[in-house]
Amino acid sequence: MSRSTNEMNDLQQSAGTGAPPNHARFAWLRRFWEHPEATASREMAILILVSGFLLLYGLVPIFGGDQLGLVGADEPRYAQIASEMLTAHSAACHEVNAKVFPRSLRITDLRNSFHCLAGGTITPVLYGQPWLEKPALYYWRAMGFFKEFGVYDWSARLPSTSGAFVLIILIFLHMRRFRPGGHLDAALITASCVAIVSFSRGASTDMQLAAPFCIGMLGWYAWYETGKKFWLFDLYFFGAAATLAKGPVAPFLALAIILLFAGLRREWSLLRRTIWLPGILLYLLMVLPWYIAVQRRNPTFYKLFFLEHNLERFATNRYQHHQPFWYYLAILLIGLMPWTVISIRALVDSIQVSIAEWKVRHNPQRYLGHSRAGDAFPEFLVLWALFPILFFSFSGSKLPGYILPSIPPLTILTADYLNRIRRQGLPKWLLWSHAAICAILVFVLTLAPQHMKYETLVPSAQWLTIAGVAAIAFGITVFLIVRRWGISQICTATLLPVIAMLVFLLGFNGRDLDLNYSARPLAQEIQRLAPEVKPLAIEGVKRDMDYGLAFYRDEPLIHYSKDGVPDEEHLLVIRANDTAALDHWLAGRVYKSLFLYDSQGLEVYRVYARP
């Protein structure tokens, strides 16, 4: 009887609202869930969790472990420079017993604090010698992380990781403010594409340029839309940071893109209005002190940095990085994965929109009522995306990181495109193509560890089957999720293979990556087997191993071909099959094999002191 009474009460309460009894019971929860403030908090939480996982998993010890040591020549070299600068900086501060922030406003304390600030932070040094190829922003930021967490390979990568994270968050905030609807997708697409995931984990200057440059460009467009000078602060502040990361290429790219945008829209007054005196003063105050100071201490800096490492690097193949003209097209297609097909479709759509906008401005009556009339955002993003790619395609020296500033505008265009077609849905061919790209990504990355282990182009039939089944499974999953729940779930569906491959590569195969590409395991094994022998020599090994061993042992190496064979006892790392060189350099010396490092084809010898 009481149950019937309760049911009657529920029916009476829901009758006034017209809602079913069960729905009425949870109406307040639904209203709370759909409230704008709750939605914004939920989106921010999702973004932080997902992007944090993509950027930090397998990078820091407390989250999947620091699975992969420093690779290539640049990572250990830049980390070593930051480490040496921190040592010099600490010594300068201890010398005057001061910190960067003065204890008081007395002249003595101010002078000591300035000595502490400038000590070790002006001239980048490698093995005690000036290294003037790049400005100092990466080194300063790495010094800060080293001081906070210690000198480790993973802490050397945090400048790039933190820069990428700030970029992703600001893309989300900018899009929510100016293009609501696709803001979360824009941030998640940026965080999950191959280029951002890869370069955010590198101890390099590429993300130090790309992140502030892109933030500055978003700030400039926010000023263009609103007319509020406040937004120009982003352009000048982050433009200065990008200049301190890689030099004059940052202001050049920004000026060229803005100039093209103003020219196509015939709004030449934009150039005059962009010139903002407080912003110029801020830019000069941030940039000039270091450039002047490093030139005063190193009179060859301007010649080495501006002429050799900027102009000559662009105009010639002096640094042996020549690639064909179409090189960056291939890099772009790979860097945008798994969003490549949709991103290219979004770019084509935005180009069509931009052309229509151009025609509207020249013949308004012909395109009267165009749904996107007056919207300059696609045009701006297209110019921003394409100019760096075209510009660096003419460079005599090409590296993948040069076009990293072109990736965020393309991911933003992708999200904007998906938001505009949300109601009509993805065309079938585009959905199938996107699912196929996800499958290809899974197939290739599943086989990657096999290639690293056995260096074969054709893996075993077993692994080909495993990779094929995984690729088909993830491709179908992406297709079915989007087909069932629409574009609103395309990020969720696409993140599944991305996260799975990240866990597979670093969580299950991180050790193999480390063995095949990093000097860290070799340095650890040398330290374990011969901790009492300090000098380490190399002969005929790659630059990657040269700089890597130097960083992990925190000492410069001896090069037989340049420094000669030392008389004292030392260790030698040489190619395992280079017995002729071994006989040449160590004729008459007593030596023995310590161990074979087969994964990279090297052998370590203990060379005893000359009698």
Side-chain angles (χ1 to χ4, degrees), residues 407-555:
I407 298 297
L410 288 170
T411 59
I412 294 172
L413 280 174
T414 304
D416 187 54
Y417 171 74
L418 291 173
N419 185 52
R420 285 189 284 109
I421 66 168
R422 191 177 297 269
R423 291 185 178 179
Q424 64 195 71
L426 279 179
K428 284 188 178 180
W429 71 269
L430 192 56
L431 176 55
W432 274 114
S433 300
H434 179 64
I437 289 294
C438 292
I440 291 171
L441 181 69
V442 171
F443 184 80
V444 172
L445 294 184
T446 302
L447 293 177
Q450 297 302 305
H451 174 71
M452 290 182 296
K453 286 181 184 178
Y454 306 112
E455 296 184 355
T456 57
L457 291 177
V458 181
S460 65
Q462 178 186 1
W463 272 101
L464 281 172
T465 303
I466 293 173
V469 171
I472 293 172
F474 276 107
I476 292 175
T477 300
V478 171
F479 177 83
L480 292 178
I481 290 176
V482 180
R483 184 72 178 270
R484 172 63 179 83
W485 285 283
I487 291 178
S488 63
Q489 296 303 316
I490 192 169
C491 270
T492 303
T494 308
L495 283 171
L496 294 177
V498 173
I499 291 174
M501 287 300 98
L502 188 62
V503 173
F504 174 76
L505 287 176
L506 295 180
F508 293 93
N509 293 280
R511 177 63 177 168
D512 293 323
L513 285 168
D514 205 23
L515 285 170
N516 285 274
Y517 292 103
S518 172
R520 182 172 65 179
L522 177 58
Q524 292 171 342
E525 189 67 8
I526 291 173
Q527 180 63 24
R528 186 181 71 85
L529 294 178
E532 71 282 2
V533 183
K534 278 298 178 185
L536 179 65
I538 60 171
E539 175 55 33
V541 304
K542 297 184 297 183
R543 291 196 315 154
D544 309 27
M545 189 60 65
D546 184 351
Y547 288 116
L549 287 172
F551 171 76
Y552 286 108
R553 293 180 65 84
D554 193 23
E555 62 181 6

Side-chain angles (χ1 to χ4, degrees), residues 152 269 283 291 322 336 365 385 412 455 490 520 560 578:
Y152 301 109
S269 64
Y283 180 89
Y291 277 90
H322 177 71
L336 288 170
Q365 293 181 351
I412 294 172
E455 296 184 355
I490 192 169
R520 182 172 65 179
Y560 275 8
D578 204 354

Side-chain angles (χ1 to χ4, degrees), residues 278-593:
I280 293 174
L281 291 176
L282 174 65
Y283 180 89
L284 295 177
L285 285 174
M286 289 179 63
V287 170
L288 287 185
W290 180 79
Y291 277 90
I292 293 173
V294 73
Q295 172 64 22
R296 291 183 63 183
R297 297 192 181 192
N298 306 273
T300 61
F301 169 72
Y302 285 169
K303 178 179 180 295
L304 288 172
F305 178 68
F306 289 104
L307 296 181
E308 293 185 11
H309 291 286
N310 280 273
L311 295 179
E312 284 190 33
R313 186 181 289 270
F314 180 84
T316 69
N317 187 32
R318 174 174 178 173
Y319 297 96
Q320 305 299 311
H321 297 307
H322 177 71
Q323 299 291 346
F325 185 81
W326 49 263
Y327 174 73
Y328 284 124
L329 177 60
I331 294 298
L332 184 68
L333 297 178
I334 295 172
L336 288 170
M337 290 185 75
W339 298 98
T340 304
V341 175
I342 298 180
S343 295
I344 297 303
R345 178 65 188 93
L347 177 63
V348 171
D349 178 80
S350 297
I351 291 174
Q352 292 171 344
V353 167
S354 300
I355 293 173
E357 287 290 320
W358 184 81
K359 291 179 178 179
V360 165
R361 292 193 297 271
H362 287 76
N363 188 2
Q365 293 181 351
R366 181 180 177 186
Y367 285 84
L368 194 63
H370 189 272
S371 61
R372 302 276 292 182
D375 188 1
F377 196 48
E379 188 173 344
F380 175 71
L381 291 175
V382 166
L383 291 173
W384 172 6
L386 294 183
F387 181 77
I389 297 171
L390 292 174
F391 174 73
F392 286 114
S393 292
F394 288 97
S395 174
S397 180
K398 297 182 179 71
L399 289 172
Y402 289 0
I403 64 162
L404 190 58
S406 291
I407 298 297
L410 288 170
T411 59
I412 294 172
L413 280 174
T414 304
D416 187 54
Y417 171 74
L418 291 173
N419 185 52
R420 285 189 284 109
I421 66 168
R422 191 177 297 269
R423 291 185 178 179
Q424 64 195 71
L426 279 179
K428 284 188 178 180
W429 71 269
L430 192 56
L431 176 55
W432 274 114
S433 300
H434 179 64
I437 289 294
C438 292
I440 291 171
L441 181 69
V442 171
F443 184 80
V444 172
L445 294 184
T446 302
L447 293 177
Q450 297 302 305
H451 174 71
M452 290 182 296
K453 286 181 184 178
Y454 306 112
E455 296 184 355
T456 57
L457 291 177
V458 181
S460 65
Q462 178 186 1
W463 272 101
L464 281 172
T465 303
I466 293 173
V469 171
I472 293 172
F474 276 107
I476 292 175
T477 300
V478 171
F479 177 83
L480 292 178
I481 290 176
V482 180
R483 184 72 178 270
R484 172 63 179 83
W485 285 283
I487 291 178
S488 63
Q489 296 303 316
I490 192 169
C491 270
T492 303
T494 308
L495 283 171
L496 294 177
V498 173
I499 291 174
M501 287 300 98
L502 188 62
V503 173
F504 174 76
L505 287 176
L506 295 180
F508 293 93
N509 293 280
R511 177 63 177 168
D512 293 323
L513 285 168
D514 205 23
L515 285 170
N516 285 274
Y517 292 103
S518 172
R520 182 172 65 179
L522 177 58
Q524 292 171 342
E525 189 67 8
I526 291 173
Q527 180 63 24
R528 186 181 71 85
L529 294 178
E532 71 282 2
V533 183
K534 278 298 178 185
L536 179 65
I538 60 171
E539 175 55 33
V541 304
K542 297 184 297 183
R543 291 196 315 154
D544 309 27
M545 189 60 65
D546 184 351
Y547 288 116
L549 287 172
F551 171 76
Y552 286 108
R553 293 180 65 84
D554 193 23
E555 62 181 6
L557 305 185
I558 300 168
H559 300 79
Y560 275 8
S561 56
K562 183 176 67 175
D563 307 315
V565 181
D567 292 334
E568 70 269 23
E569 183 180 13
H570 62 280
L571 300 171
L572 170 66
V573 178
I574 194 170
R575 290 195 300 268
N577 57 358
D578 204 354
T579 54
L582 196 65
D583 295 337
H584 167 72
W585 292 110
L586 298 180
R589 294 290 292 270
V590 177
Y591 60 91
K592 71 173 183 178
S593 175

Side-chain angles (χ1 to χ4, degrees), residues 3-15 19-22 24-25:
R3 180 178 177 182
S4 300
T5 304
N6 290 335
E7 290 176 353
M8 290 297 295
N9 290 336
D10 288 341
L11 288 172
Q12 290 173 358
Q13 291 174 2
S14 62
N22 291 336
R25 189 175 301 169

Side-chain angles (χ1 to χ4, degrees), residues 84-85 88-93 95 111-125 128-132 136 140 143 288-304:
E84 292 188 34
M85 290 177 71
H89 173 67
S90 300
C93 293
E95 180 184 342
R111 185 183 298 113
N112 289 341
S113 290
F114 179 77
H115 179 81
C116 172
L117 174 66
T121 61
I122 303 299
T123 303
V125 290
Q129 300 300 317
W131 186 269
L132 304 175
W140 293 337
M143 288 167 64
L288 287 185
W290 180 79
Y291 277 90
I292 293 173
V294 73
Q295 172 64 22
R296 291 183 63 183
R297 297 192 181 192
N298 306 273
T300 61
F301 169 72
Y302 285 169
K303 178 179 180 295
L304 288 172

Side-chain angles (χ1 to χ4, degrees), residues 93-366:
C93 293
H94 287 305
E95 180 184 342
V96 293
N97 190 25
K99 295 184 177 181
V100 172
F101 295 101
R103 295 187 176 91
S104 70
L105 296 179
R106 292 183 304 176
I107 297 298
T108 302
D109 288 338
L110 293 174
R111 185 183 298 113
N112 289 341
S113 290
F114 179 77
H115 179 81
C116 172
L117 174 66
T121 61
I122 303 299
T123 303
V125 290
L126 180 64
Y127 312 136
Q129 300 300 317
W131 186 269
L132 304 175
E133 288 190 5
K134 297 290 188 295
L137 181 66
Y138 167 79
Y139 309 130
W140 293 337
R141 301 194 65 221
M143 288 167 64
F145 285 110
F146 284 166
K147 194 169 184 179
E148 186 70 25
F149 301 109
V151 180
Y152 301 109
D153 41 24
W154 61 268
S155 55
R157 288 168 166 156
L158 289 180
S160 296
T161 306
S162 57
F165 182 75
V166 172
L167 172 62
I168 291 164
I169 294 297
L170 288 180
I171 286 175
F172 170 81
L173 295 175
H174 176 92
M175 293 292 285
R176 191 176 69 179
R177 167 68 172 80
F178 295 100
R179 290 296 186 281
H183 50 284
L184 182 59
D185 283 353
L188 291 177
I189 291 171
T190 304
S192 59
C193 68
V194 166
I196 299 298
V197 173
S198 301
F199 282 99
S200 67
R201 295 166 174 268
S204 69
T205 58
D206 295 305
M207 190 59 73
Q208 314 306 308
L209 167 68
F213 174 82
C214 294
I215 295 170
M217 295 304 289
L218 287 174
W220 182 86
Y221 189 81
W223 164 79
Y224 173 75
E225 279 209 352
T226 64
K228 296 179 180 179
K229 291 288 188 181
F230 165 79
W231 294 106
L232 279 181
F233 170 85
D234 285 357
L235 175 68
Y236 287 100
F237 177 84
F238 290 104
T243 306
L244 288 169
K246 271 206 168 183
V249 67
F252 168 77
L253 290 177
L255 181 61
I257 293 167
I258 293 172
L259 183 64
L260 287 172
F261 180 77
L264 286 176
R265 298 191 69 84
R266 296 187 177 181
E267 297 182 41
W268 296 109
S269 64
L270 279 177
L271 302 178
R272 173 182 53 80
R273 291 186 289 122
T274 300
I275 300 174
W276 184 42
L277 184 58
I280 293 174
L281 291 176
L282 174 65
Y283 180 89
L284 295 177
L285 285 174
M286 289 179 63
V287 170
L288 287 185
W290 180 79
Y291 277 90
I292 293 173
V294 73
Q295 172 64 22
R296 291 183 63 183
R297 297 192 181 192
N298 306 273
T300 61
F301 169 72
Y302 285 169
K303 178 179 180 295
L304 288 172
F305 178 68
F306 289 104
L307 296 181
E308 293 185 11
H309 291 286
N310 280 273
L311 295 179
E312 284 190 33
R313 186 181 289 270
F314 180 84
T316 69
N317 187 32
R318 174 174 178 173
Y319 297 96
Q320 305 299 311
H321 297 307
H322 177 71
Q323 299 291 346
F325 185 81
W326 49 263
Y327 174 73
Y328 284 124
L329 177 60
I331 294 298
L332 184 68
L333 297 178
I334 295 172
L336 288 170
M337 290 185 75
W339 298 98
T340 304
V341 175
I342 298 180
S343 295
I344 297 303
R345 178 65 188 93
L347 177 63
V348 171
D349 178 80
S350 297
I351 291 174
Q352 292 171 344
V353 167
S354 300
I355 293 173
E357 287 290 320
W358 184 81
K359 291 179 178 179
V360 165
R361 292 193 297 271
H362 287 76
N363 188 2
Q365 293 181 351
R366 181 180 177 186

